[in-house]
Amino acid sequence: MGAGASAVSALLGGAAAAALLLRWRGRSGLRRAAAEAGRRRGLALGRMEKAAARFREQNPDVDADPILSLTLVELSEKLRDGSLSPDWVFYTYVDKALQVTKEVNCVTDYLQESESQLQQVKRQEKKDLLYGIPVSIKDSINCKGHDSTLGFAKRLNQPAAEDCVLVQVLKRRGALPFVKTNVPQSLLNFDCSNLIFGQTVNPLDHTRTPGGSSGGEGALISSGGSILGIGTDVGGSLRFPAAFCGICALKATGGRLSKKGVVASIAGQKSAVVGIGPMARDVDSLALCMRALLCDDMFHLDPTVPPLPFNEEVFSSSQPLRVGYYDNDSFTMPSPSMRRAVLETKQLLENAGHTLVPFKPCRVEHLMFDISVRGLFADGSSTFLDGFKGELEDPNVKQLLLLCKAPGWLRRLLSWILKPIEPRLAKTLRNMNERSVKELWKLHCEIEEYCREFIAEWRKLDLDVMLCPIVGPAFQIGFPGKISAAVSYTILYNYLDFPTGVVPVTTVTKKDEEELKSHRGHYNDSWDKIFVKATRGGVGLPMAVQCVALPWQEELCLRFMKEVETLTRRRQRNL
């Protein structure tokens, strides 16, 4: 008996040691893969540098500044009428993107085939809407021959077999996808860091995050290294980077643009609808991109996309709008600058002849706990955690991983213990447990009912569009992983599947900063306290608002965004 027990103990000990050894070897392999990826990125950036240097040497008279100062609409016109050479534009942006990434670490790969594509574009007789326009692409969007890593080392050396539909359409419209940009590990974070490519920083303040998960795009475009980018959004991943970096973005209705060939953060998750869309420095650029993408090529390549071409009549309308607005969702207390951004924009719109109607978003706490958490983690987080198996973990996602890895009984116990002092965290833990198929179907019914309730209130008030806050200013690096509650202003419109855009309207003032000192939040819990720490010290940083329309009304959303942008710029000129 004793000998048998000893033998079993020895076997178990040996198995444990073998498991540890395999784990160590696996992690050692991942470290080598990450190091190799870093080396390959260095080579890619080196190719960018050589290409730009060669062009400058052959064309010493090309002045980059006038090219970089053009808006997308102006640049498109000059390329199409022949007053600017596609070569000049392409290599100017290659050079600028290289300079930018040396400062903020946003480019992860150079799509060198764009150089041969440039030669093909120059031979085309038809000069389409995006003729000769360099476009940056988020890491998770497939480009043939290149990795879509999602910040995971184990996804390295798995190049996409073909371009995703959107990249194919961009190329057919004359665009030149030329770089891929950084993301947070797993995408489910609004910071921008992973252990392969490192931390991307905000170009306006290097101690702050550019937002995520389309953070590399936000940093590159804000710094002038790209004039147009494509990103994705499942909880604010287009909108956070736009707001934090002071640029514009549009999250389209989930089915308006093709997602074929776009890698999801949680494969198979359908509760929160993934949106895809453009990022740029102004609203007209977003409109031009949508005009180009909503074409027969996309409808043919992906028949699941409804054949709805861009509606010029809606976008160009000047009819007064009936605008709903709110400055507080009663879940995440807005910072003083968030609230002021909405109220000042409301006043500008009223002064311009639009009708502003107070709106109260319904049952946001119910949305966040009983719908959002249950929807994203309906399988008890197992699909999300699959991505991390055998993977080195970025510190910025460790808090979320701890919650996901905790067994159900521990989550329930912690929820009961924390309920009096951390009610939001307690409810989050309680709702992260695995659901049965029946419970998931019930959740889908709840989402549909919530959407009907929201639209009913919208219709009751006879609204055209909605104005509301977007979190800001840019958080200090590392804080997004500690305060998931801040997504309440953005993830709402993923569950509703409404098109939503972001427009910068002001900057943080000293008065905002002073008022932030007395900020207590709705719950006065740790998340409220962290929110203050994350946003303080932001004087001078950009603040934005969200502009929302009903599903499939991207053109109306853009028209509203354009109105906000125009009125804001007019006010700034008159100051």
Side-chain angles (χ1 to χ4, degrees):
M1 187 85 170
S6 297
V8 171
S9 295
L11 285 169
L12 289 174
L20 285 171
L21 180 62
L22 286 170
R23 188 178 180 188
W24 179 83
R25 283 181 175 173
R27 295 197 167 208
S28 178
L30 288 172
R31 288 191 181 94
R32 285 197 300 272
E36 173 61 19
R39 188 188 71 82
R40 283 194 290 126
R41 181 170 71 151
L43 292 174
L45 296 181
R47 288 192 289 271
M48 288 177 72
E49 193 160 24
K50 286 179 183 176
R54 184 172 60 247
F55 178 77
R56 285 196 306 270
E57 186 179 323
Q58 295 170 356
N59 301 271
D61 297 331
V62 174
D63 188 354
D65 289 343
I67 294 172
L68 295 171
S69 68
L70 295 171
T71 67
L72 178 60
V73 172
E74 293 167 340
L75 183 61
S76 174
E77 288 173 353
K78 288 183 177 295
L79 282 164
R80 294 168 73 195
D81 69 17
S83 56
L84 262 183
S85 161
D87 297 78
W88 293 9
V89 173
F90 177 79
Y91 288 106
T92 293
Y93 270 98
V94 167
D95 192 28
K96 182 64 176 178
L98 182 67
Q99 294 173 33
V100 167
T101 205
K102 287 177 179 178
E103 294 176 6
V104 300
N105 188 36
C106 54
V107 172
T108 60
D109 199 2
Y110 176 46
L111 310 183
Q112 192 174 11
E113 61 273 17
S114 56
E115 293 184 49
S116 56
Q117 191 201 344
L118 169 65
Q119 302 311 313
Q120 295 171 17
V121 164
K122 285 164 60 181
R123 292 193 293 269
Q124 291 176 0
E125 289 186 18
K126 182 185 176 184
K127 296 183 178 180
D128 221 319
L129 277 176
L130 295 176
Y131 172 77
I133 300 294
V135 180
S136 49
I137 307 292
K138 182 178 180 177
D139 166 279
S140 58
I141 297 173
N142 282 345
C143 295
K144 184 178 179 180
H146 298 269
D147 294 334
S148 297
T149 69
L150 281 64
F152 289 122
K154 66 184 177 185
R155 291 186 60 89
L156 292 165
N157 304 314
Q158 297 180 38
E162 63 178 359
D163 289 330
C164 77
V165 166
L166 274 190
V167 170
Q168 291 182 54
V169 175
L170 285 168
K171 289 180 176 180
R172 293 188 185 193
R173 303 312 299 265
L176 302 165
F178 76 118
V179 290
K180 294 195 82 173
T181 55
N182 206 22
V183 295
Q185 188 179 39
S186 82
L187 306 185
L188 215 63
N189 193 321
F190 58 103
D191 205 331
C192 191
S193 170
N194 60 71
L195 297 178
I196 309 170
F197 303 116
Q199 174 77 54
T200 301
V201 299
N202 192 309
L204 307 174
D205 180 343
H206 290 186
T207 70
R208 294 177 183 262
T209 175
S213 59
S214 309
E217 284 299 315
L220 184 63
I221 295 166
S222 175
S223 303
S226 173
I227 198 165
L228 177 65
I230 305 295
T232 64
D233 185 312
V234 76
S237 294
L238 278 160
R239 290 163 286 163
F240 278 117
F244 285 6
C245 295
I247 63 172
C248 299
L250 174 70
K251 178 198 78 68
T253 308
R256 189 78 194 267
L257 296 172
S258 174
K259 288 180 281 191
K260 186 179 178 184
V262 176
V263 185
S265 55
I266 305 177
Q269 187 280 130
K270 300 291 185 184
S271 300
V273 181
V274 177
I276 195 163
M279 304 173 75
R281 293 194 292 271
D282 59 67
V283 178
D284 279 336
S285 299
L286 305 180
L288 178 61
C289 182
M290 292 296 287
R291 202 176 280 123
L293 291 175
L294 296 172
C295 63
D296 288 340
D297 283 329
M298 184 172 68
F299 308 144
H300 175 73
L301 288 166
D302 187 351
T304 67
V305 175
L308 300 172
F310 192 85
N311 191 324
E312 294 288 352
E313 184 179 352
V314 171
F315 178 64
S316 60
S317 171
S318 58
Q319 290 293 314
L321 294 168
R322 189 170 170 86
V323 183
Y325 75 94
Y326 60 94
D327 60 16
N328 191 338
D329 69 359
S330 301
F331 186 82
T332 303
M333 177 74 80
S335 64
S337 49
M338 285 169 63
R339 187 166 184 269
R340 181 175 57 80
V342 170
L343 295 180
E344 287 183 356
T345 304
K346 166 194 174 280
Q347 191 61 56
L348 288 175
L349 290 163
E350 281 184 326
N351 293 346
H354 303 285
T355 301
L356 277 291
V357 182
F359 184 92
K360 183 175 176 58
C362 51
R363 300 188 294 142
V364 175
E365 185 170 309
H366 169 71
L367 169 87
M368 291 301 293
F369 296 129
D370 299 323
I371 291 179
S372 182
V373 175
R374 287 163 62 203
L376 286 174
F377 303 110
D379 63 348
S381 311
S382 62
T383 302
F384 176 67
L385 290 173
D386 282 347
F388 289 89
K389 285 181 180 175
E391 188 74 26
L392 300 168
E393 297 167 4
D394 187 275
N396 287 325
V397 296
K398 282 197 171 177
Q399 189 170 95
L400 176 59
L401 284 173
L402 282 173
L403 298 181
C404 292
K405 288 178 179 179
W409 67 266
L410 181 56
R411 288 193 200 125
R412 288 189 293 272
L413 177 62
L414 288 172
S415 177
W416 180 76
I417 294 170
L418 292 170
K419 189 175 180 179
I421 52 173
E422 295 284 348
R424 288 192 289 183
L425 180 55
K427 288 181 179 178
T428 298
L429 285 163
R430 188 188 69 205
N431 283 301
M432 289 180 74
N433 291 328
E434 185 175 354
R435 308 282 159 182
S436 67
V437 173
K438 184 177 180 179
E439 288 173 319
L440 181 60
W441 288 353
K442 182 181 177 184
L443 173 64
H444 290 166
C445 292
E446 287 181 41
I447 293 170
E448 290 173 1
E449 178 56 35
Y450 186 86
C451 189
R452 283 193 290 268
E453 183 180 342
F454 198 98
I455 291 174
E457 184 63 19
W458 184 299
R459 292 297 196 202
K460 178 182 172 183
L461 298 173
D462 193 26
L463 303 180
D464 296 311
V465 289
M466 183 83 73
L467 172 72
C468 58
I470 176 76
V471 168
F475 283 14
Q476 296 177 43
I477 286 169
F479 276 97
K482 300 173 183 176
I483 178 169
S484 55
V487 305
S488 63
Y489 286 100
T490 48
I491 202 167
L492 165 66
Y493 295 108
N494 293 94
Y495 276 93
L496 293 172
D497 195 18
F498 287 12
T500 313
V502 164
V503 183
V505 294
T506 187
T507 56
V508 181
T509 65
K510 290 181 180 178
K511 184 180 179 183
D512 294 329
E513 187 70 14
E514 190 62 31
E515 290 178 0
L516 186 63
K517 293 177 182 177
S518 59
H519 187 283
R520 291 293 175 268
H522 290 295
Y523 296 80
N524 199 26
D525 59 7
S526 62
W527 283 347
D528 282 332
K529 293 180 175 71
I530 291 170
F531 181 79
V532 174
K533 292 178 183 177
T535 56
R536 68 187 176 193
V539 173
L541 290 175
M543 291 300 304
V545 293
Q546 286 192 97
C547 300
V548 186
L550 291 174
W552 310 106
Q553 296 186 9
E554 279 71 19
E555 295 86 348
L556 181 57
C557 185
L558 286 164
R559 186 254 154 134
F560 180 37
M561 292 170 69
K562 178 65 178 175
E563 182 74 0
V564 168
E565 179 185 67
T566 300
L567 295 173
T568 298
R569 290 181 174 181
R570 187 180 299 161
R571 180 190 62 183
Q572 291 168 346
R573 285 196 300 269
N574 293 334
L575 289 178

